[in-house]
Amino acid sequence: MQERLKELQAEAIQKVEQSANLKELNDIRVSYLGKKGPITEVLRGMGKLSAEERPLMGALANEVRAAITAKIEEKQAELEEAAVQAKLASESIDVTLPGRPVKVGNHHPLTKIIEEIEDLFIGMGYEIAEGPEVEQDYYNFEALNLPKGHPARDMQDSFYITDEILLRTHTSPVQARTMEKHQGKGPIKIICPGKVYRRDNDDATHSHQFMQIEGLVVGENIRMSDLKGTLEVFAKKLFGEDREIRLRPSFFPFTEPSVEMDISCKMCGGHGCNVCKHTGWIEILGAGMVHPNVLEMAGYDSKKYSGFAFGMGPERIAMLKYGIDDIRHFYTNDVRFLKQFAIEE
Amino acid sequence: MLVSYKWLQDYVDLTGVSAGELAERITKSGIEVEGVEVLNEKIKGVVVGHVLEREQHPNADKLNKCLVDIGAGDPVQIICGAPNVDKGQKVVVATVGARLPGGVKIKRAKLRGEESNGMICSLQELGMEGKIVPKEFEKGIYVLPEDAEVGSDAIALLNRDDQVLELGLTPNRADCLSMLGVAYETAAILGRDVELPETNLEPVSEKASDYVKIVVEAKEDNPLYSAKIIKNVKIGPSPLWMQTRLMNSGIRPHNNVVDITNYILLEYGQPLHAFDYDRLGSKEILVRRANDGEKFTTLDDVERTLTSDHLVITNGKEPVALAGVMGGANSEVTSDTTTVLLESAYFNGLTIRKASKDHGLRSEASSRYEKGVDPNRVRPAGERAAYLMAKYAGGEVLDGTVEVDTLTVEPAVVSITLEKINRVLGTNLEMNQVKEIFDRLQFESSVDGDTITVTAPTRRGDIKIEEDLIEEVARLYGYDNIPKTLPIGSATPGKLTAYQQKRRVVRQYLEGAGLYQAVTYSLTSEEKAAQYALENRHTIRLAMPMSEDRSILRLSLTPHLLEVVKYNSARQNDSLAVYETGNVFLANGTEALPEEREHLAGAITGLWTNHSWQGEKKPVDFFVLKGILEGLFAKLGLTDRVDYVKAQVEGLHPGRTAEIQLNGTAIGFIGQVHPSVQKEMDLKDTYVFELLLKAVLEEDTDDLQYAAIPRFPSISRDIALAANKETISSTLKDIILEAGAPLLKEAYVFDLYEGEKMEEGKKSIAFSLKYADPERTLTDEEVTKVHEKVLEALKEKAGAVLRG
């Protein structure tokens, strides 16, 4: 009997070792350890044994069962691990294949520039003011010290609808309207972005519709030096800390004194190249101290209040910043152009 | 304004200041020098030659064989093709080895068998434009005066050893439309003196007033008219130095009298006109407004019809000049002229501008009148011209000037305090620094304590107010020297308005959803202006459009986005999603400004998903676009206020279009572009929406408020209904939600089947329903009770029953 048990143990262990999968293993478990299995059968013959032998044989039988069970468990763990490994192997993918694309669009480059400038000035305490694109001659010209017949009106040939109504030629009327709304009280700090229109034939450098951003600060004791300092902060933030600015005297009917601001050329570092027409400087914007007539017309006491204003063209800035060669690209909306401005710098 | 560096030295000492340096200093102090042209750049080896012999080239009809003395060695043979070359002429010779503009190098050559040792030059060959070359030399070589020294440098003789500064003048600096004005400016910058030109005349005893009487009817247009009479002039070429100065300034020489008027125009900035006195046909000059319909032939031989807006100079009856713009053919100076009436006048700029605009005649004269001439230079300019006519046209200047003068000239006197100058500029200037700047400008000034009073000369008509003085100080002190500060005073909060902030959210959301932002033109054609308009009013047309395609203000954005889709589709980008925000313009009668409304529009076409290696391709459809809009309204907190109602919109698919409503009011549409429009524009299936963005952004939204997260589980029940085909899902959903309240929290469609397994006229539509109570866990029985109510209501109100 003892031998028979040993035999069974060896036989079972061999079978377990040879089993190829969990089902076979289970079959082995049932056939050896089940109620109808050979070990149970052997134990049924225990009745014939002596009282001394019986506990010994019982203990042996349990040992054999335990050994087989342990072996089965060991084998089961082994087979399960192999199954997991096989499953993982079968699930392997080519990680270099492209992912499912997420459709993402982006800002038009002009919006990108405008929002960048807006945010920069918001950080300095400015608000964003907007106004109508179709304007009264009064706000577009007269309130800005450009009476009818003024020769400077030639500088910006306009699209009139009636004698008194036209498409605004600049965003300056928003300044006039804002000042009027403030009823002679300060301070005002605004940025006015928007579409403007001039009688130009569309070509690589002209567009009958384009964007403009103007800024206006009115308060007590606003100085030319404040304009210079503000513009320098703006230029360095927008174009880079290494850029220099210079102011040149100029003329605009609504400011006095008037200046133009140049920034040092990035391409050549100020030594002169084609981009800056060999001057080392690139013209960026026009500015000046608000003309007292403009202040007075809007209801401000020009003895008490002063202000500065500046204006620039987002198209020109985008063209300089991104190296765009033709202004018409902005209005053609070729997606191969638009998608190039997705990157957040 | 073209400024000759050599000529400028007549008035200001430029020692030690090169043309380039001068240009930079002028630019930095206020007038932009747009370029400096070196006239003799790339030219060398050009001398004065004397044509000793000329004969026909033996082998060529159109060539001449010339023997030319070039002042060095033996005379040389030069073959010349110019028709006007002749024996005895002094000419410009490019000798062997010479260089001319355009990289031309002169070599010894054989022309049709004859040796040629150089080239006799035209002015164009020296780099001058044909339109400024004197007419008689335009088609041939240039002939120098007889006294030109053989062998000398012809470039110097022709004043081509000069540099020309091109000034970009702003309208306020009309004073620099004259050499004298530029001289004052230069002197101020350099701190040097100005030397005025010679005008010293010795008139003959005859009196000008015996020759002409002046009457000015239109005194407002012409407050000052002065005339001088110059007798016995001999018309001929003006001296070479004058001709070359005119040419370097871009003006073509004609004859001595005309050249002198043009020379004074450049020197003084004062336009002059020379009439042939004998051709005037009267002894009277009458200045008046033209009669409506009056005809007049200007000296360019064009007959012009005048109106009462135009000012004319007449002989008492007929016009002899269109004042300030152009003279008449009937009184023009010719080679036979012997007596000249020289006009020097002050005309009103606006009157001149009108005439010059109406007749499309912008002359050197009219543009100066428009911008304003110096009233105190009218007479000196006339004196100087008369002086030059005596000197260079052999004329005798009669005694006196005949004039009508109602012009009051009051120089501007402006006072300003030093404190104000420093306050506006942010500087710390001392009074002596300010005073010195006005001295340099030759502005009279006097200081009284903290106040300086400045008398601006009349040549600087732009100086009127304190700020003008501040600008003079700033530009001559130098903007580089002004400090950099930031505004001080009460702090202002910088922020976007709610509207602006939400507009940014809309853009960011749409871009995140896959749409690119487009910007298109506001001006469009009559045809496109009202297409897809949300509200149609009569269109707003420009008074003078540049083209029909850009003549009307748009009422909608959609047509422009369709153009964008078309443009890109034609360039292999036929899967596209774009949006635009922009104003449309609604007329408000002719007096008031139009109403501007901000719209949002979008267009999608082609494939929405294209995962090529995964084999998934899904074209865009109505529900892709609707999903994007639903997401947008969810983002803006408006989901519950927006409805989509089936509608008809012209240009959209009649079965695939919805009106978008906000609180029950239509604010836009969404739909497929009508197949016939798609075909016409060569588009694939394209879906569009347009809505009144203004209404969406101005809608007040509820404040954000936290709602408790449910602590008890919900119970879901799915139902598949057989419903009538025309029963729309929102009707069913409304019935379900109403009948299931308050335990029913959600109901959404998860399946739709309209195939052949369904009975005729029926469709299968499946909803998933979710029941919950925030306070407790629901029992199955409770839910079943409500659920039965829902099914009952569906059957009763919509004839929709559970599918078996």
Side-chain angles (χ1 to χ4, degrees):
Chain A
M1 188 176 266
Q2 190 175 350
E3 275 165 31
R4 176 69 186 139
L5 282 172
K6 289 282 182 196
E7 240 175 63
L8 279 172
Q9 179 178 349
E11 191 185 298
I13 283 173
Q14 192 188 3
K15 277 194 177 165
V16 166
E17 271 171 1
Q18 282 166 359
S19 68
N21 55 46
L22 289 168
K23 186 178 176 299
E24 275 180 38
L25 193 64
N26 201 41
D27 290 347
I28 294 165
R29 182 203 317 269
V30 172
S31 64
Y32 281 89
L33 301 176
K35 285 180 177 154
K36 289 170 186 167
I39 295 173
T40 316
E41 201 167 306
V42 170
L43 290 177
R44 279 202 197 109
M46 281 221 299
K48 297 170 192 164
L49 295 177
S50 63
E52 290 95 48
E53 276 180 321
R54 231 179 265 166
L56 288 175
M57 202 50 68
L60 178 65
N62 282 338
E63 254 172 57
V64 169
R65 272 178 180 274
I68 295 172
T69 304
K71 190 65 192 177
I72 286 173
E73 272 169 13
E74 182 191 323
K75 185 67 184 181
Q76 181 163 350
E78 196 179 297
L79 283 174
E80 272 171 359
E81 174 62 18
V84 167
Q85 289 306 327
K87 186 160 187 286
L88 291 176
S90 75
E91 285 171 353
S92 170
I93 55 167
D94 176 357
V95 298
T96 66
L97 282 168
R100 277 174 201 263
V102 173
K103 273 184 122 60
V104 182
N106 55 259
H107 274 7
H108 189 280
L110 293 174
T111 307
K112 192 173 161 72
I113 291 283
I114 289 169
E115 287 192 0
E116 197 176 337
I117 294 170
E118 283 177 355
D119 290 345
L120 216 150
F121 281 101
I122 286 172
M124 290 196 272
Y126 289 64
E127 290 179 9
I128 312 299
E130 294 170 277
E133 292 171 40
V134 181
E135 257 301 358
Q136 287 165 13
D137 185 274
Y138 174 78
Y139 287 110
N140 195 73
F141 289 126
E142 285 176 46
L144 299 167
N145 204 27
L146 275 150
K148 288 209 163 70
H150 192 288
R153 283 197 182 197
D154 266 3
M155 288 161 81
Q156 38 195 1
D157 265 359
S158 333
F159 285 120
Y160 275 91
I161 293 165
T162 67
D163 284 349
E164 293 302 326
I165 295 176
L166 76 161
L167 305 194
R168 65 178 177 194
T169 58
H170 45 196
T171 50
S172 314
V174 183
Q175 304 187 351
R177 283 175 177 274
T178 306
M179 281 193 276
E180 201 178 79
K181 215 186 292 167
H182 275 70
Q183 299 189 321
K185 292 193 184 70
I188 296 176
K189 279 169 101 174
I190 52 166
I191 291 289
C192 319
K195 291 172 184 162
V196 301
Y197 306 85
R198 289 186 197 173
R199 285 182 66 87
D200 268 324
N201 279 310
D202 296 338
D203 62 23
T205 53
H206 296 86
S207 182
H208 75 275
Q209 174 183 324
F210 56 101
M211 301 282 188
Q212 207 174 46
I213 299 186
E214 300 211 335
L216 171 74
V217 174
V218 174
E220 294 175 41
N221 293 320
I222 298 295
R223 303 158 294 177
M224 187 99 205
S225 56
D226 297 333
L227 171 64
K228 197 173 166 186
T230 301
L231 292 180
E232 188 178 67
V233 170
F234 157 74
K236 286 187 183 264
K237 285 254 165 68
L238 193 70
F239 295 99
E241 289 296 330
D242 53 339
R243 310 296 282 279
E244 296 297 319
I245 69 158
R246 76 166 183 191
L247 300 184
R248 274 185 295 111
S250 187
F251 169 76
F252 307 105
F254 27 90
T255 49
E256 183 80 30
S258 302
V259 292
E260 269 170 289
M261 184 185 85
D262 300 334
I263 59 165
S264 57
C265 179
K266 187 180 171 184
M267 293 293 168
C268 60
H271 303 299
C273 66
N274 281 333
V275 173
C276 59
K277 292 185 194 153
H278 304 283
T279 61
W281 296 95
I282 293 175
E283 191 182 316
I284 291 294
L285 56 77
M289 302 303 290
V290 180
H291 197 289
N293 291 358
V294 174
L295 286 171
E296 296 283 347
M297 268 186 281
Y300 282 84
D301 178 357
S302 67
K303 297 257 178 298
K304 187 174 168 198
Y305 282 98
S306 55
F308 65 73
F310 53 88
M312 66 195 111
E315 278 88 349
R316 179 172 168 75
I317 290 175
M319 288 169 92
L320 285 170
K321 206 171 153 149
Y322 304 129
I324 298 165
D325 56 355
D326 191 325
I327 197 169
R328 286 169 295 198
H329 283 312
F330 294 114
Y331 297 95
T332 309
N333 299 293
D334 189 319
V335 72
R336 293 166 296 181
F337 173 79
L338 295 177
K339 66 174 20 160
Q340 291 183 36
F341 303 96
I343 301 162
E344 204 57 53
E345 288 165 287
Chain B
M1 174 81 185
L2 298 174
V3 176
S4 152
Y5 176 71
K6 271 178 87 176
W7 184 359
L8 188 58
Q9 295 177 49
D10 279 10
Y11 319 109
V12 188
D13 177 10
L14 296 179
T15 309
V17 186
S18 71
E21 221 173 295
L22 180 63
E24 199 182 319
R25 293 190 66 177
I26 291 178
T27 295
K28 281 188 91 170
S29 59
I31 294 165
E32 192 181 356
V33 179
E34 291 171 343
V36 179
E37 193 189 355
V38 182
L39 298 182
N40 59 350
E41 202 173 23
K42 297 167 201 151
I43 301 182
K44 65 172 199 187
V46 181
V47 300
V48 177
H50 186 200
V51 182
L52 302 176
E53 300 291 344
R54 181 203 73 87
E55 60 188 68
Q56 174 85 44
H57 188 293
N59 306 321
D61 286 353
K62 290 190 172 167
L63 294 181
N64 299 291
K65 189 169 94 175
C66 306
L67 189 64
V68 185
D69 179 4
I70 55 170
D74 295 334
V76 295
Q77 175 172 303
I78 297 176
I79 306 301
C80 179
N84 63 334
V85 65
D86 212 348
K87 180 180 172 177
Q89 288 171 337
K90 294 283 176 65
V91 293
V92 181
V93 179
T95 56
V96 172
R99 293 199 177 255
L100 296 177
V104 178
K105 193 178 173 190
I106 304 299
K107 292 180 198 148
R108 191 164 282 122
K110 271 201 168 167
L111 292 169
R112 296 280 184 110
E114 288 288 337
E115 193 170 297
S116 185
N117 297 295
M119 181 167 94
I120 303 176
C121 299
S122 69
L123 292 181
Q124 287 93 322
E125 279 155 344
L126 298 178
M128 297 163 80
E129 279 185 83
K131 67 177 188 195
I132 59 165
V133 170
K135 269 225 166 87
E136 53 177 318
F137 303 122
E138 197 182 350
K139 300 244 152 53
I141 57 155
Y142 186 70
V143 181
L144 294 165
E146 282 170 26
D147 60 1
E149 191 189 325
V150 176
S152 66
D153 180 358
I155 292 303
L157 187 65
L158 288 168
N159 263 325
R160 298 298 287 175
D161 56 344
D162 196 359
Q163 298 175 66
V164 174
L165 281 65
E166 189 183 350
L167 305 189
L169 291 174
T170 48
N172 62 324
R173 292 306 304 274
D175 61 298
C176 284
L177 282 168
S178 66
M179 292 303 291
L180 278 176
V182 176
Y184 278 110
E185 179 75 8
T186 305
I189 294 166
L190 301 177
R192 296 182 186 176
D193 292 330
V194 174
E195 180 140 350
L196 292 175
E198 182 68 42
T199 55
N200 209 2
L201 257 180
E202 278 181 40
V204 297
S205 56
E206 263 188 293
K207 288 200 178 326
S209 53
D210 293 339
Y211 277 66
V212 69
K213 179 181 85 172
I214 311 244
V215 181
V216 176
E217 275 181 7
K219 290 202 169 65
E220 265 189 29
D221 300 323
N222 180 22
L224 171 58
Y225 193 99
S226 77
K228 296 190 85 70
I229 305 289
I230 302 104
K231 268 178 69 177
N232 297 327
V233 297
K234 284 167 234 25
I235 303 295
S238 60
L240 187 59
W241 63 263
M242 186 182 284
Q243 291 193 40
T244 53
R245 282 181 173 185
L246 289 174
M247 286 190 280
N248 289 353
S249 305
I251 291 179
R252 163 183 265 167
H254 292 275
N255 59 48
N256 44 11
V257 168
V258 172
D259 289 358
I260 287 166
T261 60
N262 283 331
Y263 186 79
I264 298 303
L265 172 102
L266 292 175
E267 190 174 44
Y268 280 71
Q270 169 64 43
L272 302 174
H273 187 65
F275 295 98
D276 183 329
Y277 176 80
D278 297 315
R279 296 179 68 202
L280 283 177
S282 79
K283 287 190 157 194
E284 182 185 1
I285 289 287
L286 168 70
V287 186
R288 61 162 167 85
R289 287 286 183 115
N291 303 316
D292 282 324
E294 191 167 5
K295 304 267 193 236
F296 173 59
T297 303
T298 41
L299 53 74
D300 54 1
D301 287 325
V302 177
E303 191 189 68
R304 301 181 186 270
T305 306
L306 308 177
T307 74
S308 58
D309 287 338
H310 308 140
L311 186 70
V312 285
I313 313 299
T314 71
N315 61 2
K317 293 193 191 88
E318 292 179 342
V320 291
L322 182 57
V325 180
M326 198 179 259
N330 55 4
S331 57
E332 187 185 359
V333 169
T334 69
S335 54
D336 299 329
T337 300
T338 56
T339 303
V340 167
L341 183 147
L342 180 69
E343 163 198 293
S344 185
Y346 186 91
F347 297 120
N348 181 310
L350 289 179
T351 313
I352 302 305
R353 183 166 186 231
K354 179 86 175 103
S356 128
K357 249 189 157 171
D358 288 353
H359 295 288
L361 277 175
R362 278 206 98 199
S363 60
E364 295 275 349
S366 70
S367 68
R368 281 173 176 78
Y369 280 125
E370 280 176 33
K371 289 169 183 142
V373 298
D374 179 357
N376 277 335
R377 250 185 230 163
V378 176
R379 289 189 194 89
E383 297 293 327
R384 166 85 168 147
Y387 164 82
L388 292 175
M389 284 184 194
K391 198 164 174 185
Y392 298 108
E396 295 166 347
V397 181
L398 302 197
D399 187 28
T401 304
V402 191
E403 60 180 37
V404 171
D405 180 6
T406 55
L407 181 64
T408 42
V409 183
E410 277 176 24
V413 181
V414 188
S415 294
I416 190 169
T417 63
L418 182 64
E419 187 271 332
K420 168 130 192 197
I421 293 173
N422 282 325
R423 176 155 49 87
V424 171
L425 296 178
T427 47
N428 281 307
L429 293 170
E430 303 282 345
M431 187 56 102
N432 60 350
Q433 288 174 284
V434 173
K435 167 92 174 123
E436 191 240 328
I437 285 169
F438 291 116
D439 290 347
R440 274 158 59 190
L441 284 163
Q442 303 205 20
F443 289 10
E444 274 176 40
S445 64
S446 61
V447 176
D448 180 9
D450 188 43
T451 302
I452 182 165
T453 301
V454 178
T455 305
T458 51
R459 63 188 155 82
R460 288 296 305 275
D462 58 314
I463 307 290
K464 295 181 187 110
I465 55 174
E466 287 183 335
E467 282 70 16
D468 298 321
L469 296 183
I470 294 173
E471 177 161 55
E472 294 302 298
V473 173
R475 68 188 190 88
L476 287 165
Y477 175 63
Y479 282 100
D480 287 348
N481 299 321
I482 289 178
K484 293 166 193 162
T485 58
L486 287 174
I488 32 181
S490 58
T492 47
K495 65 175 188 349
L496 295 172
T497 62
Y499 187 100
Q500 291 162 346
Q501 181 61 38
K502 283 195 211 170
R503 180 168 50 199
R504 284 195 178 189
V505 168
V506 168
R507 286 178 181 152
Q508 275 156 9
Y509 167 80
L510 290 173
E511 287 159 18
L515 280 69
Y516 287 95
Q517 187 192 16
V519 179
T520 61
Y521 294 133
S522 305
L523 286 169
T524 185
S525 62
E526 181 84 58
E527 185 201 349
K528 285 207 157 48
Q531 282 173 2
Y532 300 102
L534 297 181
E535 186 182 331
N536 224 332
R537 291 194 205 156
H538 74 261
T539 51
I540 303 169
R541 189 181 170 80
L542 297 181
M544 284 196 299
M546 296 180 76
S547 72
E548 279 307 308
D549 280 350
R550 306 270 170 250
S551 58
I552 312 277
L553 282 167
R554 63 179 170 184
L555 288 156
S556 58
L557 310 183
T558 299
H560 305 272
L561 291 184
L562 291 181
E563 285 295 327
V564 171
V565 171
K566 182 181 168 178
Y567 177 92
N568 282 289
S569 296
R571 283 161 185 79
Q572 297 170 309
N573 283 302
D574 47 12
S575 290
L576 185 70
V578 288
Y579 80 95
E580 178 171 13
T581 58
N583 286 351
V584 304
F585 305 84
L586 291 120
N588 247 342
T590 51
E591 299 291 312
L593 290 180
E595 187 183 337
E596 296 184 22
R597 292 183 184 167
E598 190 163 26
H599 276 201
L600 166 68
I604 60 172
T605 190
L607 294 174
W608 187 245
T609 50
N610 181 16
H611 305 161
S612 45
W613 67 271
Q614 288 157 318
E616 294 172 33
K617 280 190 183 179
K618 195 168 159 285
V620 298
D621 62 25
F622 182 89
F623 298 101
V624 167
L625 193 56
K626 187 178 174 190
I628 291 172
L629 281 184
E630 285 171 336
L632 177 65
F633 291 125
K635 182 83 194 159
L636 296 171
L638 300 175
T639 301
D640 295 339
R641 304 184 202 177
V642 173
D643 292 299
Y644 302 84
V645 179
K646 195 155 189 176
Q648 304 283 315
V649 171
E650 200 183 326
L652 295 183
H653 191 304
R656 298 181 172 179
T657 298
E659 184 175 276
I660 303 168
Q661 297 180 346
L662 177 65
N663 301 321
T665 306
I667 57 157
F669 61 76
I670 171 174
Q672 184 185 346
V673 175
H674 197 289
S676 65
V677 176
Q678 290 181 168
K679 195 174 168 206
E680 195 184 310
M681 293 186 78
D682 207 11
L683 303 177
K684 291 185 172 176
D685 281 0
T686 301
Y687 291 84
V688 293
F689 74 88
E690 178 152 356
L691 52 85
L692 183 57
L693 185 62
K694 188 169 152 38
V696 174
L697 300 187
E698 283 175 354
E699 179 78 2
D700 274 336
T701 43
D702 301 331
D703 291 341
L704 264 182
Q705 192 71 47
Y706 159 78
I709 294 160
R711 286 185 296 146
F712 301 96
S714 60
I715 292 178
S716 289
R717 295 274 169 97
D718 291 352
I719 51 173
L721 300 168
N724 292 329
K725 248 186 175 167
E726 59 272 18
T727 308
I728 55 176
S729 72
S730 63
T731 306
L732 296 173
K733 187 178 167 181
D734 289 347
I735 294 170
I736 294 169
L737 288 175
E738 194 195 333
L743 293 186
L744 181 61
K745 301 299 180 201
E746 254 181 68
Y748 63 90
V749 178
F750 71 91
D751 190 44
L752 178 71
Y753 176 74
E754 295 180 303
E756 56 196 14
K757 283 183 195 157
M758 295 303 296
E759 196 187 323
E760 183 73 22
K762 297 280 182 185
K763 65 180 170 188
S764 163
I765 182 162
F767 284 87
S768 186
L769 281 59
K770 200 163 116 186
Y771 297 93
D773 189 310
E775 304 299 329
R776 62 203 171 87
T777 305
L778 291 173
T779 64
D780 227 29
E781 292 75 43
E782 280 177 296
V783 171
T784 304
K785 216 169 129 196
V786 180
H787 198 63
E788 292 297 330
K789 251 177 74 190
V790 168
L791 294 175
E792 194 58 37
L794 282 167
K795 194 171 166 186
E796 209 170 280
K797 293 183 177 165
V801 294
L802 266 187
R803 283 182 70 198

